[in-house]
Amino acid sequence: MLPYIDYQNKWTNPAPAGFGRMLMDMPSYHDYLIREIYQQDYLDLYLGAMTFNRTIVGGIYYVKITGNPILSVLGIPLDPLFTLTMGGNDYIKVDYDYPWTIAQLNQKRCIKYIMIGEAAHPINDSYFYKHTSTVSSPWLSAPVAAFTPSPNGSVLTGPTKLEKLLYLADNGYILIDLFPFATNYTALRTVLNTTGVSTFFFNNEVLFRINQFVVNGLTCQNSNEQNSNGKNAYEPIIAFSGPPTIHHYLANEIAMGAILLPPTIVCRCYMNDTIPATIPTPPLYWNRPWTSMTALHGVVIPYVKAPYYRCCTCQNAIAGPNNLFIRVAFF
């Protein structure tokens, strides 16, 4: 989680380390923290322990800030819309109680598939890790479909979002965002690429976070089996969910060697097979013509275009990730 001053600096600092935006336009830091708490709830399924216990006051759920080793050092501003001070302690409001049982936490899991998102949506209530959100999103439905049937025999026990999140965790899947800001990126994406911001955040935020997963033993790295690249078959595999402007750009940077991945990460940033072969030049063309109903890496797809790189999973510029392209990227 970013301290308040770091969050603020990443919004206002000039490129490439920041967005170079006005402080008055900065998206809510408290909303960011609440999203991070929900993401940590999901990570607890890999840690095997609860991180953020809840306190109920007047029927409302809170997470205690004071004395918490993570939250107490962030410099969280107090705001009556988001925080509560009671008995000399500060709390931040959340939407629901802690979601997992002891039995669910005790199940052994490891992270194998890491999907990169762009950022949380600034308007709708579809945040991936908020299990009470009611707005449907391909960032949830597509991976659930991609992991059905489960590659490791996991069972989806019901239709609720909480049950779907548990199912994805059982399969080693996690989503992490490139940017912490819930804002409209439509007019920003090209500039973030050309000024180096996209690359900077990928190198210094995404790769740092993945490395922490590895260091803390949360990733699947215990097999001697080798994949086609000569790497450990159970090292985490990363893919990009879209929108394509930034994510295809990053995949192209990896493919061209401008971004160097640590040896603990696999990314299939090579060209998707096509029939017939075509010659679009990245990063101008993020997708490529495809002969409908032929197999893409063993998966038959009914579409006339496919992502240029195998690690990209976006079907089109607005629809988000596609379940068949997710299977292609990971399996």
Side-chain angles (χ1 to χ4, degrees), residues 1-274:
M1 293 184 181
L2 294 173
Y4 176 65
I5 188 63
D6 288 354
Y7 180 89
Q8 179 177 293
N9 288 341
K10 290 179 188 302
W11 181 254
T12 60
N13 281 351
F19 277 40
R21 311 288 288 181
M22 299 292 291
L23 184 60
M24 67 180 69
D25 299 325
M26 186 177 75
S28 168
Y29 177 68
H30 295 92
D31 281 338
Y32 158 77
L33 281 181
I34 294 167
R35 293 193 301 270
E36 288 291 297
I37 289 171
Y38 298 156
Q39 182 174 149
Q40 186 59 53
D41 287 344
Y42 187 84
L43 282 172
D44 286 354
L45 292 169
Y46 298 105
L47 288 167
M50 179 191 299
T51 299
F52 293 119
N53 192 15
R54 281 18 176 213
T55 298
I56 305 177
V57 179
I60 299 174
Y61 295 100
Y62 292 90
V63 172
K64 189 177 179 182
I65 298 172
T66 305
N68 185 285
I70 298 174
L71 299 178
S72 64
V73 299
L74 299 180
I76 302 171
L78 298 182
D79 184 326
L81 291 176
F82 296 96
T83 61
L84 170 71
T85 299
M86 181 181 65
N89 295 313
D90 298 323
Y91 299 82
I92 186 166
K93 182 170 63 176
V94 294
D95 294 280
Y96 47 78
D97 201 356
Y98 189 75
W100 314 120
T101 67
I102 296 299
Q104 289 168 337
L105 290 176
N106 285 341
Q107 182 176 334
K108 186 171 178 59
R109 302 176 182 86
C110 58
I111 298 170
K112 186 174 182 180
Y113 306 104
I114 302 176
M115 181 67 78
I116 311 301
E118 184 177 74
H121 196 284
I123 299 175
N124 70 37
D125 187 35
S126 64
Y127 182 59
F128 181 80
Y129 292 111
K130 182 180 177 181
H131 78 79
T132 58
S133 64
T134 57
V135 179
S136 62
S137 168
W139 274 266
L140 176 68
S141 60
V144 169
F147 283 85
T148 304
S150 166
N152 67 358
S154 299
V155 177
L156 178 58
T157 57
T160 69
K161 184 173 182 181
L162 188 65
E163 289 164 320
K164 292 175 182 178
L165 288 172
L166 183 63
Y167 176 72
L168 289 175
D170 288 344
N171 282 281
Y173 180 90
I174 188 170
L175 172 71
I176 57 176
D177 284 330
L178 177 63
F179 302 120
F181 308 114
T183 191
N184 190 329
Y185 285 84
T186 302
L188 297 177
R189 292 185 179 107
T190 299
V191 174
L192 293 175
N193 287 344
T194 58
T195 57
V197 175
S198 301
T199 301
F200 183 91
F201 273 73
F202 182 79
N203 282 329
N204 293 278
E205 302 296 329
V206 171
L207 292 185
F208 174 80
R209 179 168 284 198
I210 295 175
N211 185 61
Q212 292 302 110
F213 297 157
V214 174
V215 169
N216 291 320
L218 303 185
T219 55
C220 305
Q221 299 184 79
N222 300 318
S223 172
N224 292 321
E225 179 186 355
Q226 298 293 302
N227 64 19
S228 59
N229 295 323
K231 293 185 177 182
N232 189 308
Y234 289 163
E235 288 171 348
I237 303 171
I238 68 171
F240 296 92
S241 66
T245 300
I246 289 176
H247 284 175
H248 171 79
Y249 172 81
L250 291 173
N252 188 64
E253 290 287 279
I254 296 170
M256 299 296 106
I259 291 177
L260 299 177
L261 297 180
T264 51
I265 298 173
V266 171
C267 183
R268 293 164 173 164
C269 53
Y270 48 82
M271 187 178 68
N272 264 328
D273 297 332
T274 59

